[in-house]
Amino acid sequence: MPKITIVFASQDGQTASIARQIALHLVNYSIEVEVINLAAGPPDGAVLDESDVVVVAAAIRYGHPLATAERFLSCNAARLVQMPLVMLSINLTARKPDKRSYETSVYLRKWVQRHKLAPVLTASIAGKLDYPNYRWFDRVMIQLIMRMTEGPTDPTTCIEFTDWQQVNDLADEIATLV
Ligand SMILES: Cc1cc2nc3c(=O)[nH]c(=O)nc-3n(C[C@H](O)[C@H](O)[C@H](O)COP(=O)(O)O)c2cc1C
């Protein structure tokens, strides 16, 4: 049975939910799926070697993917460049449908280019805005970003912007890669 490994870096849980939804959707196919949370430590090389496709999903914080995802890609770039790789960037800019592609997402483009990777599939996926759970500094900073990009600034706002149809469609596309 072909195998897909989904490796994710999540701070507040939304990227974890997206990774798990992709895995859940892949149950519709005869594919073995392993989901790895980088917070619990990086997978060893053997896990990647036995995978037919690797999916990396990382949350964006202040313009950059989480450090665990960056470390994972830096350490495994030589291996990942030789296999079908999917890179998913989770952020709030992608709440706008026209900011979800490689061409329109600066986060995606910089990410791929920085690691000199050649993913077969990329996407920017909207995450969650959760002001009540942010620390004061983060809340003020995100409000500033939202003001500049015409998003919600009410500090009581908690909105899941994730387009689950996009996530399921991506899972279908990922399934075609094995
Ligand atoms: C401190 C902080 C900084 C963030 N910086 C950005 C950013 O620079 N650009 C963006 O589009 N989204 C930004 N976000 C939104 C997150 O990417 C979004 O909430 C995502 O769902 C986080 O994923 P996670 O729940 O897996 O950690 C930020 C969120 C927080 C809390």
Side-chain angles (χ1 to χ4, degrees):
M1 190 153 55
K3 177 172 177 178
I4 295 178
T5 299
I6 304 171
V7 177
F8 73 85
S10 180
Q11 185 77 44
D12 295 332
Q14 195 65 12
T15 304
S17 299
I18 290 166
R20 294 199 182 103
Q21 176 57 33
I22 292 171
L24 203 65
H25 197 79
L26 287 171
V27 166
N28 297 317
Y29 301 86
S30 297
I31 297 171
E32 183 189 343
V33 181
E34 183 170 356
V35 181
I36 294 171
N37 181 355
L38 286 172
D44 64 36
V47 173
L48 302 181
D49 288 340
E50 69 194 21
S51 305
D52 297 287
V53 174
V54 174
V55 179
V56 181
I60 293 286
R61 279 282 185 294
Y62 295 125
H64 298 281
L66 289 175
T68 48
E70 291 303 77
R71 270 199 300 280
F72 169 75
L73 290 176
S74 300
C75 293
N76 294 285
R79 194 180 257 116
L80 293 172
V81 83
Q82 293 182 53
M83 58 190 302
L85 171 68
V86 178
M87 292 172 72
L88 306 175
S89 174
I90 319 306
N91 57 77
L92 284 176
T93 309
R95 72 186 187 282
K96 300 184 177 179
D98 65 346
K99 297 285 182 195
R100 294 178 185 168
S101 71
Y102 184 83
E103 289 71 29
T104 60
S105 169
V106 180
Y107 298 137
L108 267 180
R109 282 203 309 279
K110 284 191 175 169
W111 197 28
V112 170
Q113 288 164 8
R114 186 166 55 250
H115 293 283
K116 299 186 170 61
L117 290 165
V120 289
L121 180 63
T122 58
S124 213
I125 301 172
K128 186 175 177 181
L129 175 66
D130 190 1
Y131 285 129
N133 273 321
Y134 296 161
R135 294 177 305 171
W136 176 84
F137 178 79
D138 291 335
R139 185 162 56 245
V140 171
M141 292 304 285
I142 304 297
Q143 281 175 310
L144 198 67
I145 296 170
M146 285 296 144
R147 196 162 294 126
M148 292 187 307
T149 59
E150 294 162 348
T153 54
D154 177 343
T156 62
T157 305
C158 177
I159 304 178
E160 186 184 70
F161 283 106
T162 308
D163 175 348
W164 294 105
Q165 187 58 54
Q166 180 201 9
V167 174
N168 288 340
D169 289 349
L170 275 167
D172 286 329
E173 232 180 302
I174 290 165
T176 67
L177 300 173
V178 295

